[in-house]
Amino acid sequence: MIEIEHGHGGRKSLDLIQQLILPALGASGAPTLDSARLSGLGDDDLVFSTDSFTISPLFFPGGDIGKLSVCGTVNDLAVAGGRPEYLSLALILEEGFPLEDLRRIMESVGATARDAGVKVVCGDTKVVERGKADGVYTNVTGVGAALPRHPFGPAAIRPGDKILISGTIGDHGAAILAVRNELPMASQIPSDCAPLWPMTRAIFEAGGEHVHAMRDPTRGGLAATLNEFALDASLEFVIREEDVPVRAEVAEMLEVLGMDPMALANEGKLIAFVAPDGADAAMEAMRQSPIGAQAAVIGEVGGAREDGRVLLETAFGTRRVLEMPVGEGLPRIC
Amino acid sequence: MIEIEHGHGGRKSLDLIQQLILPALGASGAPTLDSARLSGLGDDDLVFSTDSFTISPLFFPGGDIGKLSVCGTVNDLAVAGGRPEYLSLALILEEGFPLEDLRRIMESVGATARDAGVKVVCGDTKVVERGKADGVYTNVTGVGAALPRHPFGPAAIRPGDKILISGTIGDHGAAILAVRNELPMASQIPSDCAPLWPMTRAIFEAGGEHVHAMRDPTRGGLAATLNEFALDASLEFVIREEDVPVRAEVAEMLEVLGMDPMALANEGKLIAFVAPDGADAAMEAMRQSPIGAQAAVIGEVGGAREDGRVLLETAFGTRRVLEMPVGEGLPRIC
């Protein structure tokens, strides 16, 4: 039966998709169910991505479910190499949900869409009885024009590529954790929830064909994203732990809780795999962005390895395997 | 606060969208939040539509939430004048949901997508705690190529247009009603849940520019769709009650319950507004379709009327106003 861990974005989520959902869809399904690049609907390819949002609480430091919903889908399109253009917005509302909260959330959708330069063009509203939802769940699906005309995606990653992160990691997960547990530092740890577009455009403009792949490390954090990419690319990645930026407040809180920022969700960060010749320019483009001041090169791509592997190099020079997170995720983080 | 009636697709649903959601979205929102026609993403226009599904029960005579989810969105694209191409599929799963049920639903998604000639190309899976959903909720969002190059939609409806329905009405709503109430005739009333594509293609090929508008009368039934179109087009419609096809079993059941088939949901029917010169050809195209054998001309478009109006002409020649359904809908019908 479905367990909470099936929703964490780690091993169990992948297994559910690969072992049950994709085989059941058969020939009607795509090889993966990530954001898709679509051909045949005009001259240029499109990008297409969907996300449902069940975050709890609905309002949190740095955002709310409305802002998160727009960012989540805009960011999927952006790191898939798209120029986000149009969004759909579907609501599942629980009977008794306050209209004033709905209004705040919709205003937040509107404001974030404006920031990201996208339009909400179609929608749907469903209502379920009290106790059959938790206030409001959303779905935002988006389409955009595909920008890169060079090979782009995990399969384009090459040995020697630099691995870049656009800023501090774990902020979104830490923010939700702090609010849920009513920790005193909650107000000092805002979620990083933000649109990654137009930063991704600047990275493409600066790095050109050297930009081989991008991803936003959401559920399962950097650990899940790196492991997925390493597996897809059949390559080994080496990450220098001390170069991975973490906010002091986040590091402090997680140390007390015994948690790892590498496995915590981000909602306004991206990792990029860039060939050495383009890495400086891509890094500079990130740093020029208002949300990329703390961008850093955190590692390199090593050699071929059938089943992929992510190695974490500590400050003392020792190396350990960074595993795909299994059951340690937070439920309803996005 | 949100009431069950906000989800019925009638007056209250429209008010919520027009008075709260659209003003809050501001400039980021489209004028309506129906399926949208998108320009600027290539040479040809696209159609784009979203629907979330919260139907209860998940399995019912004639279908399940998987089949319904694909049909719902494929049909929105089809009646918007699109050739459905690509779907996204997002799941909100309740902890404890049986994997076997999920597999059946996914197989149903796969089979229906195959029937409709579409691909499921991206997806998302979220899990919420027990008691925070009702088994599974889905969202399916779709894109397709826009076919008609002539004016198409409510604004293109003209006085004198014939109003066509592709078959019997109220079957989906009646099926769900019978199952929920454990009525003895439940097994004899299957939902009409079916993809309207490729029937819509045949209608366009046959009727050409005479085909002015189409819509699938789902939540709120024929009564809601006719009233929305009459209002949007600022025209009066006259419907001949005796020409509206209703299955005998459905009519019988609804008479006992004191309910009107005009306000019950359909999930495999469309109404079309066609200029007289194209009406016979369009009707023939419907009837040639395996799901259109009982297609009928049910009325005509009358003259201009600022606030729109739908008149129902009885067998005795009397006329009454067919109102937009207000609170009589069924919750979680789709």
Side-chain angles (χ1 to χ4, degrees):
Chain A
M1 77 182 61
I2 291 293
E3 300 163 31
I4 282 291
E5 287 73 22
H6 282 116
H8 283 170
R11 186 73 258 156
K12 282 214 155 188
S13 305
L14 267 184
D15 287 349
L16 183 71
I17 294 167
Q18 290 173 349
Q19 290 165 23
L20 191 153
I21 296 178
L22 287 174
L25 291 177
S28 302
T32 65
L33 285 178
D34 275 326
S35 55
R37 185 160 171 150
L38 310 181
S39 302
L41 281 172
D43 278 356
D44 293 317
D45 283 1
L46 301 180
V47 290
F48 184 41
S49 190
T50 191
D51 257 322
S52 286
F53 299 87
T54 61
I55 192 164
S56 170
L58 296 172
F59 300 91
F60 50 84
D64 58 44
I65 192 172
K67 182 179 183 184
L68 181 70
S69 301
V70 174
C71 291
T73 295
V74 161
N75 293 353
D76 283 346
L77 295 173
V79 299
R83 181 183 72 227
E85 297 272 358
Y86 297 108
L87 303 182
S88 64
L89 169 66
L91 306 174
I92 297 176
L93 297 162
E94 185 187 10
E95 183 186 8
F97 188 65
L99 291 177
E100 206 33 63
D101 286 357
L102 181 61
R103 193 189 315 273
R104 276 176 67 196
I105 292 165
M106 291 300 103
E107 283 169 355
S108 182
V109 165
T112 313
R114 210 147 41 239
D115 285 350
V118 294
K119 281 260 183 195
V120 180
V121 291
C122 58
D124 179 53
T125 309
K126 295 291 189 306
V127 179
V128 297
E129 309 90 327
R130 259 174 228 271
K132 300 293 186 190
D134 194 9
V136 56
Y137 299 144
T138 67
N139 176 279
V140 172
T141 303
V143 289
L147 298 179
R149 293 168 184 274
H150 63 273
F152 179 74
I157 298 174
R158 292 286 170 269
D161 280 0
K162 302 286 181 186
I163 305 175
L164 284 59
I165 182 99
S166 65
T168 55
I169 65 161
D171 296 357
H172 179 72
I176 300 303
L177 203 57
V179 171
R180 282 201 201 146
N181 293 292
E182 298 176 6
L183 301 183
M185 66 282 271
S187 64
Q188 296 154 46
I189 304 182
S191 162
D192 59 345
C193 184
L196 291 169
W197 175 267
M199 179 166 68
T200 52
R201 179 177 58 192
I203 295 170
F204 281 120
E205 285 172 0
E209 64 185 17
H210 299 302
V211 182
H212 290 164
M214 287 198 273
R215 187 67 66 88
D216 53 333
T218 56
R219 278 182 297 177
L222 201 56
T225 300
L226 287 170
N227 272 287
E228 269 183 65
F229 266 22
L231 182 64
D232 287 353
S234 291
L235 288 167
E236 183 167 86
F237 301 160
V238 182
I239 304 295
R240 289 178 300 276
E241 195 166 25
E242 60 176 346
D243 290 345
V244 179
V246 183
R247 281 173 69 108
E249 299 87 341
V250 170
E252 216 170 284
M253 183 184 101
L254 294 181
E255 204 169 298
V256 175
L257 298 173
M259 295 183 76
D260 182 1
M262 299 288 264
L264 282 192
N266 311 277
E267 291 292 346
K269 298 290 156 34
L270 65 84
I271 55 166
F273 291 75
V274 188
D277 286 349
D280 287 348
M283 177 53 60
E284 189 53 31
M286 280 190 191
R287 290 207 171 127
Q288 299 270 329
S289 159
I291 57 169
Q294 292 183 265
V297 178
I298 59 170
E300 278 87 33
V301 177
R305 192 183 164 97
E306 187 62 39
D307 59 344
R309 187 164 73 167
V310 184
L311 292 177
L312 206 59
E313 198 173 77
T314 66
F316 313 104
T318 61
R319 287 180 167 193
R320 65 176 175 87
V321 173
L322 179 68
E323 302 280 1
M324 171 72 87
V326 183
E328 66 207 87
L330 296 172
R332 297 179 58 193
I333 193 76
C334 60
Chain B
M1 76 183 60
I2 290 293
E3 299 163 32
I4 283 291
E5 287 74 21
H6 282 116
H8 283 171
R11 185 72 258 156
K12 281 213 156 186
S13 306
L14 267 184
D15 286 349
L16 183 71
I17 294 166
Q18 291 174 348
Q19 290 166 23
L20 190 153
I21 296 178
L22 287 174
L25 291 177
S28 301
T32 65
L33 286 177
D34 274 327
S35 55
R37 184 159 173 151
L38 311 180
S39 302
L41 281 172
D43 277 357
D44 294 316
D45 282 2
L46 300 179
V47 289
F48 184 42
S49 191
T50 191
D51 257 323
S52 287
F53 299 87
T54 61
I55 190 163
S56 170
L58 296 173
F59 301 92
F60 50 84
D64 57 44
I65 191 172
K67 181 179 183 185
L68 180 70
S69 301
V70 173
C71 292
T73 295
V74 161
N75 293 353
D76 283 347
L77 295 173
V79 299
R83 181 182 73 229
E85 296 273 359
Y86 297 110
L87 303 183
S88 64
L89 170 66
L91 306 174
I92 296 175
L93 297 161
E94 185 186 9
E95 181 186 9
F97 188 65
L99 290 177
E100 208 32 63
D101 286 357
L102 181 60
R103 193 186 318 271
R104 277 177 67 197
I105 292 166
M106 291 300 103
E107 283 168 355
S108 182
V109 166
T112 314
R114 210 147 42 239
D115 286 349
V118 294
K119 282 259 182 196
V120 180
V121 290
C122 57
D124 180 52
T125 310
K126 294 291 191 306
V127 179
V128 298
E129 308 90 326
R130 258 173 228 272
K132 300 293 187 190
D134 194 8
V136 56
Y137 299 144
T138 67
N139 176 279
V140 171
T141 304
V143 290
L147 298 179
R149 293 168 184 273
H150 62 274
F152 179 74
I157 299 173
R158 291 285 170 271
D161 280 359
K162 302 284 179 189
I163 304 174
L164 283 57
I165 182 100
S166 64
T168 55
I169 65 161
D171 295 358
H172 178 72
I176 299 303
L177 203 57
V179 171
R180 281 200 201 146
N181 294 292
E182 298 174 5
L183 300 183
M185 65 282 271
S187 63
Q188 297 154 46
I189 304 182
S191 163
D192 59 346
C193 185
L196 291 168
W197 175 267
M199 179 166 68
T200 52
R201 179 178 58 191
I203 296 170
F204 280 122
E205 284 172 0
E209 64 186 16
H210 299 301
V211 182
H212 290 165
M214 286 199 274
R215 185 68 66 87
D216 53 332
T218 56
R219 278 182 296 177
L222 200 57
T225 300
L226 287 171
N227 272 286
E228 270 182 65
F229 267 22
L231 183 63
D232 288 354
S234 291
L235 288 166
E236 184 166 85
F237 301 160
V238 182
I239 305 294
R240 288 179 301 275
E241 194 166 25
E242 60 176 345
D243 290 345
V244 178
V246 182
R247 280 172 70 105
E249 299 87 343
V250 171
E252 219 169 284
M253 182 185 103
L254 294 181
E255 203 169 299
V256 175
L257 298 172
M259 294 183 77
D260 182 2
M262 299 290 263
L264 282 192
N266 310 276
E267 291 292 345
K269 298 291 157 32
L270 65 83
I271 54 167
F273 291 74
V274 187
D277 286 349
D280 288 348
M283 176 55 58
E284 190 51 31
M286 280 189 191
R287 290 206 171 128
Q288 299 270 329
S289 160
I291 56 168
Q294 293 185 263
V297 178
I298 60 171
E300 279 87 34
V301 178
R305 192 182 163 98
E306 186 61 42
D307 58 344
R309 188 163 73 167
V310 183
L311 291 177
L312 206 60
E313 198 171 78
T314 67
F316 313 105
T318 61
R319 289 180 166 193
R320 65 176 174 88
V321 174
L322 178 68
E323 303 279 1
M324 171 72 87
V326 182
E328 67 207 86
L330 295 173
R332 298 179 56 194
I333 193 76
C334 61

